Amino acid sequence: MNLDPQTDLSFTRTLAAPRQLIWECWTTPKHIMNFFIPKPHSVTACDIDLRVGGRFNTTFEVEGNVMENTGVYLEIVPGTRLVFTDGYSEGWKPAADPFMTAIIDLEDDGNGGTIYTATARHRSQEAAQNHESMGFFDGWGTVVTQLEAYAQSLS
């Protein structure tokens, strides 16, 4: 994948948890609710229809505010890649104000762990800069740290 430094934010980390378990965490609502937003904030609901065009909907509670996020899966390569966006909701209904497309890539690290790459693609340089200013690297970094700890607790 060719990243555009003007519109894409991305990082890679190696996680001490097997790729298949990381995949399961990313594709199962009960698991998503345990890592998908930096604590102390919480995911209060998650609804997944794991197929291209299927829904990926989450509800967050952040400092007493409820945030509804609707989206769809654009690409699913089992155990390897998830691509989802808030640019559409189920049924390919366009979003009024889309924010990003997320890409989660997983590879075996050769030692029982996972090479985890998270990418957020944005429609404009301004949107990417806003996301970075909002704390993309710290926030998504915290989420992946929570994911790793949660996955380790399952094994």
Side-chain angles (χ1 to χ4, degrees):
M1 175 171 58
N2 294 323
L3 295 179
D4 180 339
Q6 302 298 313
T7 57
D8 300 336
L9 303 172
S10 186
F11 70 91
T12 299
R13 293 227 332 240
T14 300
L15 308 183
R19 180 173 52 90
Q20 201 53 44
L21 185 53
I22 297 297
W23 176 263
E24 182 181 330
C25 288
W26 261 106
T27 58
T28 308
K30 72 178 182 180
H31 295 316
I32 289 274
M33 296 179 73
N34 288 282
F35 72 87
F36 191 59
I37 188 168
K39 294 177 182 179
H41 313 303
S42 63
V43 178
T44 58
C46 179
D47 186 18
I48 290 175
D49 178 9
L50 191 62
R51 62 181 175 81
V52 171
R55 72 190 157 278
F56 180 49
N57 299 339
T58 53
T59 304
F60 303 145
E61 186 173 324
V62 177
E63 298 173 355
N65 298 308
V66 174
M67 301 169 62
E68 300 281 339
N69 297 286
T70 60
V72 297
Y73 291 103
L74 300 174
E75 182 181 7
I76 300 169
V77 180
T80 304
R81 175 177 260 203
L82 280 175
V83 180
F84 54 93
T85 186
D86 66 350
Y88 297 93
S89 58
E90 192 170 26
W92 301 111
K93 181 175 172 140
D97 189 22
F99 184 61
M100 67 164 191
T101 297
I103 303 167
I104 305 298
D105 286 310
L106 308 174
E107 298 175 56
D108 291 327
D109 75 350
N111 296 310
T114 304
I115 299 170
Y116 177 99
T117 301
T119 303
R121 303 194 96 173
H122 303 84
R123 67 187 181 283
S124 69
Q125 183 176 359
E126 179 184 25
Q129 288 173 340
N130 286 343
H131 197 183
E132 187 170 2
S133 295
M134 286 170 45
F136 168 79
F137 291 104
D138 288 341
W140 283 42
T142 297
V143 165
V144 77
T145 298
Q146 291 174 175
L147 167 60
E148 180 179 41
Y150 178 70
Q152 289 171 339
S153 78
L154 297 174
S155 49

